[in-house]
Amino acid sequence: MTEPTDYASLQRQLAALLDTRDWLTNAAQTSAFLIESLGDLNWVGFYLQRQPDTLILGPFQGKPACNPIPFSRGVCGAAARHRETQRVDDVHAVADHIACDADSRSELVIPIVIEGHLWGVLDIDSPQPSRFNAEDQAGIERLCETFIHASDFD
Ligand code: SME
């Protein structure tokens, strides 16, 4: 059986890595850190809300991805619309899943809300079905908090 991920340790490492207040640098570092630190991922990145009801591709690791994504579509759109984490065990079972990379089988999308405004989402894809359990969701949500606290969004 695989050891559970030590998210407390990852949180300390990420906090140490994010030693600038610049959100752009920190978003790039966070996506690189996550794809290197967590196993079985094929895409990690941020989509930013820079236009009304639309997500624009931000810093990421993986294959070139779909852009833009309207709030009305896909797993990322649902996370933005509802401001709730979307954890999908099998993306093939989601009718409006947007397939950027045919290898993706499960997905976790976490909304990033700064002072009551949706700033964007963190999207993580895995080629393994059911890659993310409730502990992964809680741990990665805490890593998003670390990213938010480390960054200035002006
Ligand atoms: N699968 C996402 C689109 C983004 S890519 O996975 C990078 C979705 O359905 O919203």
Side-chain angles (χ1 to χ4, degrees):
M1 210 179 107
T2 335
E3 287 289 306
T5 304
D6 184 350
Y7 282 105
S9 167
L10 291 184
Q11 216 177 342
R12 287 191 296 275
Q13 292 173 51
L14 182 62
L17 177 66
L18 303 184
D19 62 355
T20 160
R21 299 291 309 166
D22 188 318
W23 70 261
L24 179 57
T25 306
N26 287 346
Q29 294 279 50
T30 298
S31 26
F33 177 78
L34 291 176
I35 208 158
E36 290 297 316
S37 306
L38 302 172
D40 285 323
L41 305 182
N42 59 317
W43 201 91
V44 176
F46 291 87
Y47 279 94
L48 316 180
Q49 188 187 5
R50 309 202 117 189
Q51 298 165 17
D53 295 338
T54 306
L55 293 167
I56 301 295
L57 185 60
F60 71 95
Q61 298 276 315
K63 290 185 181 169
C66 313
N67 181 69
I69 297 179
F71 276 26
S72 56
R73 287 200 58 216
V75 183
C76 290
R81 226 167 38 241
H82 303 300
R83 295 190 182 192
E84 275 173 17
T85 297
Q86 307 290 307
R87 178 155 54 92
V88 177
D89 286 338
D90 177 6
V91 297
H92 294 168
V94 175
D96 80 336
H97 168 255
I98 303 167
C100 298
D101 181 344
D103 286 344
S104 296
R105 291 299 311 280
S106 58
E107 181 162 12
L108 185 72
V109 185
I110 298 171
I112 298 186
V113 177
I114 316 280
E115 292 174 359
H117 298 284
L118 183 88
W119 176 80
V121 302
L122 174 71
D123 180 19
I124 306 186
D125 291 345
S126 170
Q128 182 187 312
S130 304
R131 162 65 182 80
F132 309 102
N133 62 24
E135 286 71 36
D136 296 307
Q137 177 177 336
I140 297 169
E141 286 173 344
R142 286 198 301 275
L143 293 171
C144 283
E145 289 298 318
T146 301
F147 162 71
I148 291 169
H149 292 308
S151 307
D152 290 333
F153 293 92
D154 311 326

